[in-house]
Structures are given as structure tokens and as C-alpha cells.
Amino acid sequence: MKTCDQIRREFIEFFEGKDHTAVSSAPVVPMDDPTLMFTNAGMNQFKDIFLGTGSRSFCRAVDSQKCIRVSGKHNDLEEVGRDTYHHTFFEMLGNWSFGDYFKREAIARAWELLTEVWGLPKDRMYATAFEGSKKEGLEPDDEASELWKGVTDIDPSHVLWGGKEDNFWEMGAIGPCGPCSEIHIDLTPDGSGRDLVNAGDPRVIEVWNLVFMQYNRDESGKLTPLSAKHIDTGMGLERIVAVLQGKYSNYDTDLFAPLMDHIAELTGKKYRGKVGKGAEIDNGFRVVADHARMLAFAIADGAKPSNDGRGYVLRRILRRAARFGRQHLDLHEPFIYELVPSVAETM
Ligand code: SER
């Protein structure tokens, strides 16, 4: 079985082999962007390139970016713990083209990595393309839909259309944006998951989002074409690790196992991996594990719990972890700090 470290490394090496420059993750606390409370995507550190206000010495990049999604446009907090595949803190594997290759190469490379290098079953993969939006004056992305059928050997009936919510990616209320193609994998035992694409079911999950950056949305909501077209992709490391390790839940992978074991040790309780009704203890494990990672990274990158703004988000997460610990895991003394060595060891 591949380890999480190996999977992260293979992603980066795959794109390095295709002339991408490997860059470091930016901090989770954005250094220079008042529109963002936390880094919410790999593309944040490249926003200036998309907007044409900055440049780099390279036109292709690859990285694994630390992300936090608990405020603003991308906020997954309510899902965390209740399901097995949303996180407040996660790593996003991504590759970028800055005015260099566009849809054709992005689609072909994603398919090559998933199906040729990692050997994921082609008949279990679905790809989506943007169906357009009359309200925004945006046409359907026929080009992406056709490229999926032309440059990959995906089953053509597995190329689906999706609406603005899933297939038009925006960094925030304002900023760079564009239509996207998502790649989903069907993990149902009998391959019957077609209708579960984008239905919030853990058996059919989105693993990779390929964004075709073409516009900037301004304060008035207007879309203006960017001066060049760019590629911005993002794949949740925790999810792809679960898929490649044959696990249904991100919490069953080696990215979480030491932390889950540590929580079991602290509480004397057992994690059974249940979701839904009667899964309070398991929810407690997942919330505490997720929030311990988020807090450790946010504080290490310079944020502090406080009464307002970013600090208040941290305080709420800290309280939420403490509450789940108290209510579901019988933890009545401070305990989150004890988990930090397990986070550090894995990450
Ligand atoms: N920016 C896109 C996302 O976050 C792709 O990286 O999904």
C-alpha cells in the first residue's frame, strides 16, 4: 500500500517530470490578501499572476498547499465530523499553467496520472463540464466536454454536465474564476454510482477539480476576461490517499491513523467509523482529529485565538473541539494540546 507521503511525492514528481516547478505551500494565514481569512486553495499564492499584476520565473508549477475552509465562500465546517471526507484543514495537491497549456493538456495529464500512473479503474471515473449560465451570460463548456471524449479514453457516457455551483469555480466573492471540470470516482461495490455524482454520497466522491481560469469577478459582480488563460487544479490529498489505500473514509488512512489512535488512548474509547444516527462517539473522534490539525497549523502559521476576525474563527474551532470532546468523548480536562505531537509526527 502506498503511504500518504509517497502519494504526495508521486503527484509532485509526476508534474516535475512535465516541466513544472515544485513550489512550497504558502502559510494558511494569507500574507497579503484582505479578501481572505485563510488560504482556501492552492491558487491563492498565484492570484497576482492570474490578475496580471505579478509574475514568476516559471510558467508551470506544482505543489501541496495547506488549506483551511471555515469561513467565507468555501466553508465546509458543518460537514466536518458528520461525514468522512470534509475537513476544516486539508492539503490540496495542485498543478498550474500560467498562460501556458490549457484545457487539452490539463485534462490529458490528470487522466494519465489517475489511470495510468495510479491505475484507478477507468470505468469508475466520471468527468463533469460546465453547462453554462444564462444569467451570467456564460456558454456551456462544449470544449471541455469534447476534450474529455477526445483526449482520454473515458467512457463517453461518463462525461456529464454540471451547474454553476459545482462547475464554475470562484476563489471568493471577488477574484479570479472560471468554468471547471471535476473528476469523480464511483466506489460503490457494483459500479452503480452514476446518479450519486455530486449528490453528497461518500461512495461517489470528487477527487480532482480542473479550473480553466478565464475571468475576474469585481465588486459589482461583473465578470471580465483575464488577459491570459490559466490552469488551476486542486485534488484533496486526504481523499486521494483514501481512494488509493482502498479506504472509504479519510480518517482510516495513514494521514489520520496516529491521531485517531492517540484520541483512543486519551479517552479509552474505540473509533468504529460509523456515521449518522448513533455515531456520536465517532463524530467526536473525527471532529477532534480534524480540529486538532486545523488549530496546530493555523497557530504555527501565526494566527491566535481571539475575540474577532480570524482569531475568533480559531476560538470557535477550539471551543467546538472542546465541546465534542466533552459531550461525546467524556474529556473534561484540557486535551487538544496533547494531540499536537501526533499531528506533527504525521505531517
Ligand atoms: N481552485 C480550485 C479548487 O480549489 C482548483 O484548485 O478547487
Side-chain angles (χ1 to χ4, degrees), residues 60-134:
R60 299 176 181 191
V62 57
D63 83 357
S64 181
Q65 172 66 50
K66 310 176 267 189
C67 296
I68 290 182
R69 288 193 172 176
V70 273
S71 61
K73 182 171 169 57
H74 299 282
N75 185 351
D76 291 332
L77 182 58
E78 289 313 314
E79 269 70 55
V80 174
R82 276 186 228 284
D83 75 18
T84 53
Y85 60 103
H86 280 97
H87 302 289
T88 59
F89 169 87
F90 63 99
E91 270 179 87
M92 191 184 274
L93 302 167
N95 61 289
W96 287 273
S97 152
F98 307 120
D100 186 32
Y101 63 83
F102 201 44
K103 293 179 192 178
R104 171 183 294 273
E105 293 83 349
I107 288 171
R109 286 180 176 134
W111 189 251
E112 182 188 339
L113 176 60
L114 292 177
T115 65
E116 304 294 337
V117 179
W118 284 340
L120 292 175
K122 294 177 180 175
D123 60 342
R124 292 306 190 98
M125 313 301 284
Y126 286 85
T128 59
F130 180 49
E131 68 187 6
S133 160
K134 283 216 171 75

Side-chain angles (χ1 to χ4, degrees), residues 177-333:
C177 51
C180 57
S181 260
E182 293 181 340
I183 305 170
H184 299 251
I185 185 162
D186 177 359
L187 303 170
T188 60
D190 58 356
S192 62
R194 182 188 178 89
D195 294 339
L196 301 177
V197 172
N198 275 332
D201 191 299
R203 291 168 298 173
V204 182
I205 56 162
E206 175 205 337
V207 287
W208 204 346
N209 187 16
L210 317 181
V211 182
F212 314 124
M213 281 291 179
Q214 276 169 268
Y215 304 99
N216 182 39
R217 194 184 287 283
D218 67 19
E219 285 85 353
S220 71
K222 193 167 143 261
L223 293 174
T224 313
L226 299 172
S227 56
K229 292 176 177 169
H230 313 278
I231 288 296
D232 156 34
T233 88
M235 169 154 60
L237 175 72
E238 294 74 6
R239 287 189 189 181
I240 195 67
V241 168
V243 168
L244 292 173
Q245 293 184 352
K247 311 282 189 195
Y248 266 122
S249 161
N250 296 359
Y251 296 89
D252 292 338
T253 67
D254 62 343
L255 271 167
F256 281 90
L259 196 48
M260 300 302 265
D261 290 347
H262 198 161
I263 298 170
E265 205 180 288
L266 278 184
T267 58
K269 296 190 190 301
K270 206 168 153 38
Y271 177 68
R272 294 178 199 277
K274 283 197 201 147
V275 289
K277 229 173 141 220
E280 284 76 13
I281 291 178
D282 299 299
N283 278 351
F285 266 82
R286 288 187 291 264
V287 166
V288 166
D290 173 275
H291 291 8
R293 287 176 14 125
M294 185 275 193
L295 291 161
F297 272 89
I299 292 169
D301 277 352
K304 286 204 185 82
S306 72
N307 289 341
D308 60 3
R310 183 181 294 128
Y312 190 57
V313 175
L314 242 65
R315 176 164 285 176
R316 275 172 40 218
I317 295 295
L318 192 53
R319 286 181 174 159
R320 193 167 184 269
R323 175 162 55 84
F324 272 81
R326 197 167 57 243
Q327 290 178 344
H328 301 313
L329 302 175
D330 273 334
L331 290 166
H332 300 278
E333 298 296 325

